[in-house]
Amino acid sequence: HGLREFLYEKVYFNPDTHREFLKASKLLRDLFAYFVEHPDETGLDKAPSPGDEGVEDFVLDFIAGMTDRFATMTYERLFLPQPWKVL
């Protein structure tokens, strides 16, 4: 009972954990939507074209294979402004 109560109190229903879950969910949804429209940008051979049958499954498999760090770095590269390079 003690471990179960601890996990529910400190992990499952913890507000900080829930906020991180919401952020991770948004990151994954945004990556999925992006790569469904741009499957060729996965860098993988035999990427389907947007609208092809199976593109969603292809993208799901691609995202499922990402590490947390790679997913975060990819999200930052695609969706966050980058510093301007001085000419």
Side-chain angles (χ1 to χ4, degrees), residues 23-64:
K23 288 192 282 186
S25 296
K26 178 178 178 8
L27 180 145
L28 293 171
R29 283 192 312 271
D30 290 351
L31 288 176
F32 178 79
Y34 181 85
F35 284 116
V36 164
E37 293 298 318
H38 307 94
D40 56 311
E41 292 186 30
T42 60
L44 300 175
D45 293 337
K46 301 181 183 177
S49 296
D52 282 356
E53 186 173 325
V55 70
E56 289 88 359
D57 288 338
F58 173 83
V59 171
L60 284 174
D61 288 343
F62 175 66
I63 292 173

Side-chain angles (χ1 to χ4, degrees), residues 31 35 42 62 65-75 77:
L31 288 176
F35 284 116
T42 60
F62 175 66
M66 290 181 167
T67 63
D68 293 350
R69 181 173 291 191
F70 181 69
T72 302
M73 288 173 35
T74 302
Y75 184 90
R77 178 177 56 82

Side-chain angles (χ1 to χ4, degrees), residues 73-84:
M73 288 173 35
T74 302
Y75 184 90
E76 288 174 357
R77 178 177 56 82
L78 294 174
F79 299 109
L80 299 182
Q82 300 299 307
W84 289 11

